[in-house]
Amino acid sequence: MPKKIVILGGGTAGWMAANLFVKKWSEEQVTVTLIESPDIGIIGVGEGSTPTLKRFFELIDVAEPEWMPRCNATYKVNIRFSGWSPDSGLENYSHPFLSQVDTLTQKSFVVNCMTRRLGLDVHTRPDNFFINGVLAQQEKGPRTPENFPFVMDYGFHFDSGLLGEFLCELAVSRGVTHVQTKVVDVEQNADGDIAALLSDRGNRFDGDFFVDCTGFAGVLMQKALGVEFRDYKSNLFNDSAIVMPTPITKSFPAETVSYAMSNGWCWKIPLTNRYGNGYVYSSDFISDDDAETELRTFLGTLDSGEETRHLKMRVGQLDKHWQNNCLGLGLSQGFIEPLEATALLLVQISIELFIAEYEQGDFSAKHRGEFNQKVHARFEWVRDYIVAHYKLNTRQDSKYWQANRENMELSDSLRHLLDVWYRRGDLGKELQRQNIESHFGTLSWHCLLSGYGAFPPLAQDQPDKGDHYKENDIEHLLTGCALNFRSHEENLADLVGQDS
Ligand SMILES: Cc1cc2nc3c(=O)[nH]c(=O)nc-3n(C[C@H](O)[C@H](O)[C@H](O)COP(=O)(O)OP(=O)(O)OC[C@H]3O[C@@H](n4cnc5c(N)ncnc54)[C@H](O)[C@@H]3O)c2cc1C
């Protein structure tokens, strides 16, 4: 008999899981049912991704022209951070997604960062060392002609409601059973396993395995199974967000911009039909009304009458992501605030790890402990990378930024990483020593630390040589490479009408 998997929740997490399960397993191995309540609805935010989403679409065999125009999607080659560290002397810097071309320049970047840590004046602006950073500066898209010899990596921006609809249609066409009803009770066996979900219309949905994708409600993992939630409030202060669209401009770079605000930060994400904007802040430092006024002033929409949405965020992770015969996914398993748009990345990694461990254990819970340990570590590593953005800020305009800077609630792992950096040690070796297998590798850490200007003062005597950016003529190399790319606008126009 095939294993019966029941997913509760039809937000992006639920539909990503449904699509990956039916793609991976045949109907003889596994049947998938997804239950969602249209009355409750989805959170409907989450418009930025990492390159892992590109891999997701490759895994489920969906080409960009099929899904991007339907989801008002655009390309994303980096995140630009504006105003986070005035002392760095850089008004903004970017954290580009890495591509194959960057193997030619990354060593120079790391060497220059080391040289600058010795007090010598060399080039360390991360955007200028990586092809995606240069493409963003030139408002180009990441699509290459077929004869370009390097593989490009990039992410996307998208309308999360439309993406959910697209993934729902696809999953149903591939054999997923879709049920729209509200689950009001959970039936459990004596050993604590979930036996069935009961709906408000008196229906019973039994299964061998259940996936909790109910968002912040945490219906199965937290409420039914009592799994504890570890919150990150002591080192990530933000707990609220206000979301508001603004009209799209004629052209725009393929990037998310993250602007530091008085008590948090604001994302600006271009979709083909609008900008999505959102102020993420800490309610301990600013009221919802003041945050809304600040956001509207910033966006120039004080008198626009455009409605805003206020959201509360639960930041942290479950103590266990797989408990009994149930997996937590998406916001129900945890959330580390959207600064690096890592939520769907963690969803996908969790699904992939689950598929591997469940299969290796012959569709049993044999590898549950191993899975929990791996997912837990992934969350912690992403958390540390985000915390570093707050810890290293050099803003002086509010108590919020000062409290972030002075916050000593850091993990041992992060303390060691920062210590190695300031002692001019090798960050790559330290990541290896700590066995950190994260989306944020050595180069991401170098982008962050150099972008923040986390360097000692310049030495008095400068030898005026040893700048690998100049000596290896990286500007020439990357501007030459960029000649192969067309504008972001043209890349998007190319997608329309090609969805056959
Ligand atoms: C302010 C903010 C900004 C974000 N930005 C990003 C970003 O840029 N990038 C990114 O990757 N992520 C981002 N995220 C996270 C992202 O929104 C989510 O990870 C993503 O939308 C997946 O959500 P979900 O599917 O887990 O939950 P939801 O979208 O909330 O879906 C929950 C589902 O469960 C169903 N449900 C709940 N209870 C029941 C019940 N009793 N019976 C039946 N159905 C039920 C609901 O109907 C719904 O279908 C952001 C989140 C916030 C709060």
Side-chain angles (χ1 to χ4, degrees), residues 8-14 35-37 40-49 181-183 213-217 219 241 267 269 311 313 329-332 335 338 341-344:
L8 181 60
T12 319
I35 304 171
E36 64 165 328
S37 161
I40 297 174
I42 63 168
I43 190 154
V45 283
E47 303 179 329
S49 76
T181 194
K182 184 174 176 188
V183 165
C213 295
T214 57
F216 287 138
V219 173
W267 76 74
I269 287 185
L311 297 160
M313 307 187 304
L329 270 188
L331 295 173
S332 80
F335 182 50
T342 44
L344 298 184

